[in-house]
């Protein structure tokens, strides 16, 4: 035990020589450094509090949106509309489907407007499906 205390005191003495300042200018420099570090710490605390406030506001908004009764997206097995949206079809886009499968039925655009958008969607007949697939 005495050996441990002796080693501890030896370490403290050796550290005290490393920490002591040789001149008043060095003391002043160390005081300035401590002051700068205190300012840096204070700024970091302020930034943390601001970020926490933004986080809490965003979390409150998210909670408000999730509590809403209106669903924001469909879940698997949820009831879907009878007809797909005409927004799926637009012949001015690079990718425009010829037909889509919706509720186990094929649909296509009933009428394209001048701007390329689809006015309404209609179900495809069996004859149209056979013609597309190449069968009779």
């Amino acid at each position: 035990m005495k050996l441990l205390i002796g080693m501890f005191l030896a370490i403290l003495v050796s550290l005290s020589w490393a920490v002591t300042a040789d001149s008043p200018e060095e003391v002043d420099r160390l005081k300035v450094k401590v002051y700068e570090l205190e300012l840096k710490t204070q700024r970091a605390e302020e930034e943390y509090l601001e970020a926490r406030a933004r986080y809490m506001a965003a979390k409150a908004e998210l909670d408000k949106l999730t509590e809403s009764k209106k669903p924001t997206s469909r879940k698997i097995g949820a009831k879907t509309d009878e007809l797909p949206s005409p927004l799926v079809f637009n012949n001015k886009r690079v990718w425009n489907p010829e037909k889509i499968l919706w509720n186990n039925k094929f649909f296509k655009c009933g009428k394209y407007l001048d701007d390329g958008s689809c006015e309404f969607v209609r179900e495809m007949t069996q004859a149209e499906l056979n013609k597309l697939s190449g069968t009779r």
Side-chain angles (χ1 to χ4, degrees), residues 86-91 108-113 115-121:
L87 298 175
V88 173
F89 299 97
N90 187 334
N91 62 8
K108 71 180 217 173
C109 179
K111 178 183 176 189
Y112 283 104
L113 301 175
D115 64 352
S117 61
C118 182
E119 184 175 357
F120 63 92
V121 177

Side-chain angles (χ1 to χ4, degrees), residues 13 15-23 26-27 30:
V13 169
L15 286 177
S16 67
W17 288 105
V19 173
T20 57
D22 293 336
S23 65
E26 191 173 348
V27 170
L30 290 173

Side-chain angles (χ1 to χ4, degrees), residues 6 18 28 34 56 90 103-104 107 116 120-121:
D28 291 339
V34 168
M56 295 305 284
N90 187 334
N103 289 340
N104 295 324
F107 290 88
F120 63 92
V121 177

Side-chain angles (χ1 to χ4, degrees), residues 6-66:
M7 288 176 57
F8 181 69
L9 288 174
I11 292 172
L12 283 179
V13 169
S14 64
L15 286 177
S16 67
W17 288 105
V19 173
T20 57
D22 293 336
S23 65
E25 293 86 21
E26 191 173 348
V27 170
D28 291 339
R29 185 182 60 78
L30 290 173
K31 284 181 180 178
V32 168
K33 183 91 169 166
V34 168
Y35 177 73
E36 289 172 351
L37 289 173
E38 287 173 348
L39 283 178
K40 199 174 194 181
T41 303
Q42 187 178 12
R43 285 189 203 118
E45 286 176 6
E46 290 171 357
E47 289 175 5
Y48 167 76
L49 292 174
E50 289 172 3
R52 181 170 170 79
R54 288 192 306 270
Y55 166 76
M56 295 305 284
K59 186 174 187 295
E61 186 177 341
L62 178 65
D63 290 343
K64 181 181 167 188
L65 289 173
T66 55

